[in-house]
Amino acid sequence: MKEQKIFCKTLLQGEQWRTDVLVSLDPDGLITGIGPGSETNATECIYGTVVPGMPNVHSHTFQRAIAGRTGPRGKHGDSFWSWREAMYHCAGRILPDQYQAVAAGVFVEMLKAGYTTCAEFHYVHHQPDGTAYVNLAEMSDRLVAAASDSGIALTLLPVLYCSAGPGLTGVDEQQRRFANSADQYLRLLEGCRKGLSGRALFKLGVAPHSLRAVPGRILQEVLQGW
């Protein structure tokens, strides 16, 4: 990508509406300047109204695959728990190519709706039988590829998930794709960090699932290693 100068006829900056503005972007897509300008110096012109993009601060893209199957309430006491079973059914079967395709479609939908940044809470880490991929970050890399192809900015938040509930050790069979030990999770993060290297619009964070599913000793070990 080359440096760009985008002419905006009408632009909202902070709380101020401005006209005839030139927005400069570096090759990574980061805004380097906003100032007065004209079409003459622009590489692209936008004559409509330009407003800042919105962030989607909590996304699980793979769940788009169950859209239309869980919305209507059925006749047999459907609830959050029946939705959860449908989600587990999908999470237990979705493969890397499918994951990337679904995520790319979701990211494009976000962009079309005005969301330019996505915080993706990602927890389908392993193979359907619960064993790790040779590349621990396989599924994370698929999200990165989908975001890169779509053009959305991404904050990748690999979820740390350790147990099925307070005081329990291990996870249920339906959750086996989610679970990591502290050491494995730290190696996953390192793989994600390598996959995001050199991508200015992509960030990496840590996402412990909850007080329910992450014992304090494991959280402490991860934070010390991170």
Side-chain angles (χ1 to χ4, degrees):
M1 182 177 175
K2 300 179 179 179
E3 293 183 359
Q4 296 186 71
K5 293 185 181 296
I6 302 176
F7 172 77
C8 304
K9 187 62 181 177
T10 305
L11 177 143
L12 178 63
Q13 184 178 8
E15 297 182 356
Q16 180 182 4
W17 288 101
R18 302 181 59 183
T19 57
D20 297 335
V21 176
L22 205 62
V23 179
S24 301
L25 292 85
D26 70 12
D28 291 321
L30 296 174
I31 295 175
T32 57
I34 300 176
S38 67
E39 298 98 325
T40 305
N41 302 318
T43 54
E44 183 177 347
C45 297
I46 301 175
Y47 296 102
T49 300
V50 176
V51 298
M54 295 181 291
N56 182 344
V57 298
H58 194 122
S59 168
H60 305 294
T61 54
F62 85 91
Q63 292 180 12
R64 184 67 175 82
I66 62 173
R69 301 184 61 191
T70 58
R73 182 178 177 87
K75 299 179 180 179
H76 305 290
D78 284 343
S79 66
F80 166 77
W81 302 107
S82 54
W83 171 89
R84 189 171 182 251
E85 290 302 312
M87 180 274 292
Y88 278 151
H89 182 84
C90 176
R93 290 160 177 78
I94 193 167
L95 300 177
D97 287 346
Q98 297 167 334
Y99 201 94
Q100 182 175 338
V102 171
V106 173
F107 291 146
V108 169
E109 287 185 46
M110 289 181 194
L111 287 166
K112 291 172 69 176
Y115 293 92
T116 54
T117 302
C118 176
E120 176 67 20
F121 286 79
H122 164 55
Y123 56 87
V124 185
H125 301 301
H126 308 309
Q127 298 183 60
D129 65 358
T131 59
Y133 288 100
V134 174
N135 169 19
L136 269 174
E138 174 68 30
M139 296 295 261
S140 298
D141 287 349
R142 296 308 185 109
L143 285 168
V144 172
S148 181
D149 288 344
S150 69
I152 200 167
L154 178 71
T155 297
L156 180 62
L157 298 168
V159 170
L160 174 61
Y161 200 106
C162 304
S163 64
L168 300 178
T169 57
V171 296
D172 296 336
E173 182 177 347
Q174 294 170 309
Q175 302 162 340
R176 58 192 176 185
R177 298 190 77 174
F178 311 163
N180 283 291
S181 65
D183 176 68
Q184 190 176 49
Y185 182 73
L186 288 169
R187 287 187 284 120
L188 170 64
L189 289 175
E190 184 57 33
C192 292
R193 185 183 287 113
K194 291 178 181 178
L196 296 176
S197 178
R199 300 174 184 269
L201 297 179
F202 288 20
K203 306 297 180 184
L204 177 65
V206 174
H209 176 270
S210 66
L211 294 173
R212 175 179 66 82
V214 182
R217 59 180 176 78
I218 294 180
L219 179 59
Q220 185 176 19
E221 186 176 345
V222 166
L223 293 178
Q224 289 174 344
W226 170 251

